[in-house]
Amino acid sequence: MEQASLVPVDVADVTVLVDTFVDVLMASTDVARRVPLVYEWSDRAQLRAEHGFALLLTVQRGGQAQSILYDAGLGRDTAVWNMDVLEIRPTNLRAVVLSHGHADHHAGLEGMFRRLGKPGMPLVLHPDAWRDRRIVFPTGTEIHMPPPSRADLAAEGVEVVEERGPSLLLDETVLVSGQTERVTDFEKGFPAQEARTDDGWEPDPWIWDDQSVIVHVRNKGLVVLSSCSHSGAINVVRNAQRVTGVAKIHAFVGGLHLTGGLFEPIIPRTIAELAAIGPDWVIPGHCTGWRATHELARALPDAYVQTSVGTTLHFAGT
């Protein structure tokens, strides 16, 4: 596994632009800065929650701030709508990273790029993100998961950067993991997934395009962002440690994909392994599922933080 030299940052701020949950009444903490309430509540546009995911990561180093967008949600305009409600104008946005090729992470890209209006904006993705896929559940229910549209991205002037291995962004302060090494014996990908080939639909359980985003906060450790953790949450964290050479996990933010009958059996093992790793903060969202979220809150009460659309997670070094 290739190792990357990740430059530490002074601050990493992660704003939840799209997620499955919103609660505007939650109180802020030192780590979780919630959306401030306004007096004229009924007259104001409201934040939207959906089964999608998007994060805005801003890192500060030496007084300079730069940002990347990690995924863009499912709705064509959900991410940009929420940015407008939050009055976010990402003038220092340098790149967009796609976690994997499922529609609940890329369908908002076209609207986002149209809003940004910056021809040549790089979009970093794994080549397998272009695979046409479907999910076939044991009940017989099928969900089509088409890939991003090359034509639509080209029309918006996007510079697509395909990488299987790790990529360093923002002056080597942000690491895109690339293909995640699978080392656990209980995280088996997504057994219900198939991909279209020249010979028809074939099993495609491993989702090799699943990639995380990693930041090293000075003297605190790694902040790991993982949209769905199709690689397995423990594989994601261990891969971050291995590829950076940094053992301490300061925070894990994102989906652990432990919802539904296929994945609930591995909740206890996942939480036990995560507890042994000992992150300072765990902010599960998106596809983690209510059972796993409640178990995480019980098992790691001092580390657990409830996600909510509009929250900014503030990780500061010393």
Side-chain angles (χ1 to χ4, degrees), residues 49-67:
E50 67 175 23
H51 185 79
F53 199 65
L55 300 175
L56 179 68
L57 167 66
T58 301
V59 297
Q60 297 180 37
R61 179 174 177 265
Q64 299 284 341
Q66 300 183 86
S67 300

Side-chain angles (χ1 to χ4, degrees), residues 9 61 75 117 193 240:
V9 301
R61 179 174 177 265
Q193 178 170 276

Side-chain angles (χ1 to χ4, degrees), residues 218-231:
R218 190 182 311 279
N219 297 324
K220 291 293 183 70
L222 301 179
V223 173
V224 181
L225 313 182
S226 183
S227 275
C228 263
S229 303
H230 285 299
S231 306

Side-chain angles (χ1 to χ4, degrees), residues 290-304:
W290 71 271
R291 289 185 186 275
T293 299
H294 283 266
E295 291 299 324
L296 279 163
R298 278 192 286 266
L300 301 169
D302 295 330
Y304 173 80

